[in-house]
Amino acid sequence: MTTVQIENENPVQPFLRMDRMPHIWCPGCGIGTTVNCFTRALIESKADLSKVAVVSGIGCTGRVAGYVNLDSFHTTHGRAIPFATGLKLANPKLNVVVYSGDGDLFAIGGNHLIHAARRNVDLKVICVNNLIYAMTGGQTAPTTPGAVITSTSPYGTYDPSFNIPHLVEAAGAVYVARWTTFHVRQLAKSMNEMFQKKGFGFIEVLSPCPTLYQRRNKMGDGLDAMKFYKEHSKVKHGCPTSEVSLTKAGEIIVGKFVDRERPEYSDLMHAHLREQLGEAYVEAEQVEMEHTLCS
Amino acid sequence: MNADPRGVLTGSHFLDGDHAACEGALAAGARFAAGYPITPSTEVVERYAMRAPKVGGTFIQMEDELAASIAIQGAVWGGAKAFTVTSGPGFSLMMEHIGYAAMTETPCVFVDVQRGGPSTGLPTLPAQADMMQVRWGSHGDYEIIALCPNSPQECFDLMITAFNMSEKYRVPTFLMMDEVVGHMTEKVVIPSADQIYVEPRNFTAKEPAAFKAYEACGEECVPEMVMAGEGYNIHVTGLTHDERGYPNMTPPVQDTLLKRLVGKIRDNADKICLYEEADTEGADIVVVSYGITSRVAQRAIDLAHEQGIKVGKFRLITAWPFPEKKIAEIAGKVKALVVPELNMGQMVREVERCAGGKAKVLAVPHAGGSVHRPEDILKAIVEVAR
Ligand SMILES: Cc1ncc(C[n+]2csc(CCOP(=O)(O)OP(=O)(O)O)c2C)c(N)n1
Ligand code: SF4
């Protein structure tokens, strides 16, 4: 008789707050897959994990901050990026990852995203795009493609939707990529690549929401979404972002679209102030935790 | 802990309230500020933008007040002492993050140089119209600390107090100026760094494994703090959370958390409240005022004294928590309390509540745009003295 050795220790387990399991995500949801890729990218990147901070806004994706065993901040709806900006500027040794939903980052938080990309603040933004507001019950998002039934578009959407990579590139990001939760290896690799790069990096991950997006639109379950991604995705690295808009049933262009150099915000600030003020410029010192005993 | 001398502009200066508040922030150790321009508050961060790069501070002009009010909180969790500055309409936009700071116990300071409203209202003219907004503007139950300077000197002094209290109680703390105090120029004496007490952040000495981010600690029930990047793997959320900081939205956890959040301020109100009192012993009438109005009230009180009216003065330096016991005590001894404010009646409601019918309470409202005429306050004093 042959015995089968089953490995029941998940390699990403140390990255998760196991004392918070089970998580709240639905069966077939893609958010967990993106977290898996994220942890693998962290392993690959050999980053000092004590220096990695995750900042999320609000939404199903926003809950990522609560499940990763890292310094993590679950902020307010849409404001993850400005929080992360303050965190990074005050403590430049941190690797700050903003991890949130498409509604959070592009509707209520759209202005913040644009300005952080413009400044080229050294933030890594992972946007899980399920094309909908999930946590609030499946309303239309600025990313929802045309002719999709949502709880606030019972006759189908007609609001034109955002082409996220195009917007982010125009705003100034130095790294822009898109993948789906079918492309787990590419996604993890892309995340690692983004982590290695200084400046405002952005990855959009298309992710299924079987519970709210697919159900209403009779698009099946999580597995059906994987099949859809597999059949409809086309890898086109370097594709002009103006050409990567999404439709309900059309082609999904994935790949790395932008990888360029621009001065990063802090570098720019230091160089400029040093030039203007000379000796008078005092660069911010790192605050150290002074371990004073609680009385 | 003493102030870092590099941030302290020791000496006698001729400064307006906005600039003095900036110097107070620097002396208190604020090394991060984020702001979005709005009159009449902008001079605070304009000065900070000029001074900060020379003392190791960072200023960023954010895209709006929502961003500014949360960027400072990111900076705090990165280890910095941080503040933002605004006025009425911008303050309205910051309300979301006052709640976030209260819920996550993020020590930070907001300066509100008040102008008239509602809405865009009176951009360059004074009011005291945000006194209730600061207390109740964010949703849910929470407590904050709000201080009301009445001179540039106090803008400096109370800014330091605001930072110190915000650290001690881990609570958003507010410097509630008004346009006149913000823009009036007077002598400001800045002591030497060794004369300035700066409350250090209460960083924990516990090992990560033994540390619970939201465990009540010490006499004041305020948890010890950590900052990101130190290996504690903290989780900070605006959701109702347990002692570990983990979301837990059950009624008992909400009950425990909110009782502690409001308790740490309510139970320590006597230690927190600052006020100025004169001639209240034996007075028939006491004028209760704050900010710029207290200086106009002083003139009215002097005029009333000339008429032989026994009138005392009570100036709120801390508006929130409201000095309930003190007002109740005074109300028990006098005939009437006169409350002039640059609004249509905000803090007077607190005075009425605390007086509990023991003394007559007379509001002297003013819609803003200028200050009271002393005669208006005098008229009210004379009326209740009759
Ligand atoms: C200020 C504010 N407005 C509205 C909400 C309600 N809300 C919660 S989650 C959400 C949408 C989240 O959508 P998205 O960012 O796409 O995340 P998902 O849940 O789809 O992952 C909204 C509108 C809120 N929490 N706060
Ligand atoms: S509602 Fe949608 S996005 Fe949210 S957890 Fe469920 S499947 Fe995922």
Side-chain angles (χ1 to χ4, degrees):
Chain A
M1 207 173 79
T2 46
T3 48
V4 181
Q5 202 75 38
I6 297 171
E7 237 186 281
N8 57 8
E9 182 78 357
N10 190 321
V12 304
Q13 206 156 300
F15 291 84
L16 302 177
R17 297 186 192 274
M18 294 309 290
D19 50 355
R20 287 214 60 210
M21 295 298 141
H23 56 68
I24 60 157
W25 297 313
C26 312
C29 176
I31 299 171
T33 308
T34 71
V35 175
N36 202 317
C37 295
F38 173 60
T39 58
R40 284 168 200 273
L42 284 179
I43 298 171
E44 215 35 52
S45 74
K46 303 198 170 60
D48 173 357
L49 295 180
S50 72
K51 298 283 179 268
V52 178
V54 173
V55 183
S56 291
I58 300 294
C60 293
T61 312
R63 294 301 180 93
V64 167
Y67 294 125
V68 290
N69 196 18
L70 300 164
D71 284 326
S72 51
F73 300 90
H74 183 223
T75 66
T76 45
H77 191 27
R79 321 296 170 197
I81 285 180
F83 182 97
T85 301
L87 183 62
K88 177 73 191 177
L89 291 185
N91 201 333
K93 62 180 184 235
L94 296 174
N95 296 311
V96 181
V97 181
V98 173
Y99 209 128
S100 213
D102 53 294
D104 186 80
L105 290 166
F106 285 89
I108 192 164
N111 199 33
H112 307 311
L113 189 136
I114 290 169
H115 289 281
R118 164 178 70 86
R119 296 183 184 110
N120 199 23
V121 185
D122 188 25
L123 300 177
K124 314 302 169 201
V125 181
I126 297 166
C127 171
V128 176
N129 185 1
N130 50 23
L131 305 172
I132 203 156
Y133 284 175
M135 183 156 268
T136 28
Q139 297 84 8
T140 308
T143 47
T144 312
V148 166
I149 309 285
T150 73
S151 67
T152 49
S153 64
Y155 309 112
T157 42
Y158 42 83
D159 276 36
S161 64
F162 266 145
N163 169 351
I164 290 181
H166 193 40
L167 177 64
V168 179
E169 180 186 14
V174 291
Y175 185 94
V176 183
R178 173 197 281 157
W179 298 102
T180 77
T181 50
F182 172 75
H183 300 89
V184 285
R185 288 181 194 283
Q186 293 96 323
L187 175 59
K189 191 166 159 264
S190 187
M191 285 174 169
N192 181 25
E193 195 176 43
M194 173 171 72
F195 295 159
Q196 306 306 325
K197 209 170 155 77
K198 199 165 179 182
F200 192 88
F202 181 87
I203 297 176
E204 174 188 14
V205 194
L206 282 177
S207 167
C209 172
T211 308
L212 293 159
Y213 185 85
Q214 287 162 245
R215 182 174 52 81
R216 277 208 181 86
N217 290 283
K218 305 198 170 32
M219 293 169 87
D221 59 16
L223 194 59
D224 294 306
M226 288 303 123
K227 282 187 201 142
F228 182 82
Y229 291 158
K230 182 171 183 244
E231 284 160 15
H232 288 73
S233 299
K234 202 175 225 175
V235 181
K236 272 197 200 171
H237 293 299
C239 182
T241 52
S242 58
E243 294 167 17
V244 305
S245 296
L246 296 170
T247 54
K248 185 178 167 191
E251 202 171 54
I252 302 169
I253 300 184
V254 296
K256 179 171 79 177
F257 305 135
V258 177
D259 192 347
R260 60 182 169 183
E261 303 303 321
R262 276 181 69 213
E264 189 273 330
Y265 185 75
S266 294
D267 290 344
L268 204 61
M269 174 176 79
H270 295 314
H272 182 79
L273 291 173
R274 210 171 286 125
E275 189 191 314
Q276 293 297 314
L277 296 174
E279 290 289 288
Y281 180 50
V282 179
E283 205 174 300
E285 275 166 36
Q286 283 298 216
V287 182
E288 299 294 341
M289 243 177 82
E290 268 179 55
H291 295 267
T292 49
L293 272 166
C294 180
S295 52
Chain B
M1 169 174 126
N2 289 338
D4 172 0
R6 285 172 299 182
V8 183
L9 207 64
T10 303
S12 283
H13 305 269
F14 198 48
L15 292 178
D16 72 18
D18 281 356
H19 287 177
C22 173
E23 290 305 329
L26 287 164
R31 293 296 176 266
F32 186 91
Y36 186 80
I38 185 167
T39 306
S41 70
T42 317
E43 292 91 331
V44 184
V45 285
E46 284 173 355
R47 190 180 180 99
Y48 192 82
M50 196 161 70
R51 294 265 287 124
K54 299 176 183 172
V55 300
T58 302
F59 171 68
I60 182 167
Q61 183 172 316
M62 296 301 286
E63 52 276 9
D64 58 33
E65 286 84 351
L66 288 146
S69 60
I70 194 80
I72 61 167
Q73 300 189 42
V76 167
W77 286 100
K81 288 194 177 180
F83 74 109
T84 188
V85 168
T86 194
S87 184
F91 201 44
S92 298
L93 293 189
M94 290 182 174
M95 286 304 134
E96 179 180 27
H97 295 130
I98 290 171
Y100 189 76
M103 189 56 139
T104 57
E105 297 179 79
T106 303
C108 51
V109 173
F110 294 69
V111 178
D112 178 15
V113 189
Q114 298 168 85
R115 63 193 229 177
S119 192
T120 319
L122 302 170
T124 61
L125 299 170
Q128 295 171 321
D130 303 340
M131 299 307 295
M132 283 291 160
Q133 183 174 218
V134 65
R135 173 69 186 85
W136 300 106
S138 206
H139 63 286
D141 290 294
Y142 62 97
E143 292 281 343
I144 49 93
I145 298 174
L147 303 163
C148 301
N150 76 352
S151 66
Q153 180 68 51
E154 275 198 352
C155 289
F156 175 85
D157 296 340
L158 293 181
M159 190 69 166
I160 297 170
T161 309
F163 270 98
N164 289 349
M165 285 191 174
S166 116
E167 291 295 335
K168 189 169 170 77
Y169 295 100
R170 282 187 63 178
V171 72
T173 299
F174 300 83
L175 198 67
M176 301 300 288
M177 293 146 71
D178 55 68
E179 186 274 336
V180 181
V181 169
H183 284 164
M184 67 163 47
T185 303
E186 287 181 344
K187 181 173 159 182
V188 176
V189 179
I190 299 181
S192 59
D194 58 7
Q195 299 297 307
I196 298 173
Y197 175 73
V198 169
E199 183 84 32
R201 185 153 296 167
N202 189 14
F203 284 129
T204 190
K206 292 195 180 112
E207 290 297 315
F211 178 71
K212 285 193 195 142
Y214 286 96
E215 187 175 27
C217 222
E219 205 184 308
E220 274 95 14
C221 289
V222 180
E224 295 173 339
M225 231 179 142
V226 293
M227 57 189 257
E230 300 287 317
Y232 283 80
N233 292 353
I234 40 165
H235 182 57
V236 174
T237 177
L239 290 168
T240 295
H241 46 268
D242 63 17
E243 287 186 335
R244 293 170 302 178
Y246 289 3
N248 181 333
M249 280 150 281
T250 57
V253 172
Q254 168 80 349
D255 185 65
T256 307
L257 178 62
L258 281 208
K259 279 188 178 145
R260 188 175 61 72
L261 290 185
V262 301
K264 70 181 178 178
I265 302 302
R266 289 182 189 172
D267 299 344
N268 292 302
D270 291 346
K271 282 191 252 172
I272 297 168
C273 283
L274 303 168
Y275 47 80
E276 191 183 291
E277 204 178 350
D279 305 322
T280 51
E281 278 309 315
D284 287 330
I285 295 156
V286 168
V287 180
V288 180
S289 61
Y290 55 92
I292 191 59
T293 313
S294 65
R295 294 177 70 160
V296 187
Q298 185 60 55
R299 174 72 186 146
I301 291 166
D302 294 344
L303 293 170
H305 283 164
E306 284 171 19
Q307 296 186 19
I309 302 172
K310 283 200 240 159
V311 52
K313 141 175 142 179
F314 187 84
R315 173 163 77 98
L316 300 166
I317 296 175
T318 311
W320 304 109
F322 192 75
E324 309 190 342
K325 282 189 212 152
K326 199 66 210 171
I327 295 287
E329 183 192 310
I330 294 172
K333 295 185 199 157
V334 299
K335 255 171 57 183
L337 297 162
V338 171
V339 189
E341 301 181 81
L342 286 185
N343 55 51
M344 298 309 285
Q346 296 196 12
M347 299 304 286
V348 68
R349 289 165 172 256
E350 283 300 293
V351 178
E352 272 164 0
R353 181 177 68 80
C354 298
K358 285 181 282 182
K360 186 172 177 195
V361 176
L362 187 68
V364 190
H366 186 304
S370 66
V371 297
H372 290 78
R373 290 182 314 148
E375 297 74 35
D376 298 336
I377 303 172
L378 178 66
K379 208 174 117 198
I381 295 170
V382 172
E383 188 184 319
V384 290
R386 255 192 247 123

